[in-house]
Amino acid sequence: MGNVKPIPENSSVLIPMLVCRDPSAEVAFCKATFGAAELGSRPGPDGTVAHALMSIAGAMVIIEAEWPTLPSRAPQADGSSPVVIFVYVEDVDRVIERAVAAGAKVLLPAKNQFWGTAPGELSIQWDTYGP
């Protein structure tokens, strides 16, 4: 692999990968809620989206389908997951409003906290922070 770049051009060195049961729906959700840009995608054997690289305010995230040959699985139906991703936004109330309109369930309403941000938690396990 002599002429393969160790870090691809225009890439983050750390990119979270979210394994989902329905990557197409997750891509649509990220676009509607966070104004995410789809940088690229690949179909799986059945023609549906299997992998998508997204950018949210310049930060990259990979949306990935479950694969029977890999141990990574989508979160349980109850929304539980050992992973929480924080997303800082300019207007947390507006983003949560868009998330709900796109199908998310609010688990923790946004509320100003003593440390200076207003976290809110959504059923998709994305935490959004903002003023």
Side-chain angles (χ1 to χ4, degrees), residues 29-108:
F29 180 87
C30 289
K31 287 178 177 179
T33 301
F34 300 111
E38 188 174 339
L39 303 177
S41 66
R42 287 190 295 251
D46 63 357
T48 62
V49 174
H51 170 94
L53 178 61
M54 309 292 293
S55 174
I56 299 172
M60 294 178 167
V61 63
I62 295 171
I63 307 297
E64 189 78 19
E66 288 185 319
W67 294 98
T69 57
L70 298 176
S72 300
R73 295 286 174 255
Q76 298 299 314
D78 66 1
S80 62
S81 172
V83 176
V84 176
I85 296 177
F86 292 87
V87 179
Y88 285 93
V89 296
E90 292 293 327
D91 185 344
V92 69
D93 296 320
R94 178 70 181 123
V95 169
I96 289 178
E97 181 181 290
R98 289 193 312 246
V100 169
K105 178 181 170 191
V106 175
L107 299 177
L108 178 69

Side-chain angles (χ1 to χ4, degrees), residues 1 26 49:
M1 296 207 185
E26 191 66 29
V49 174

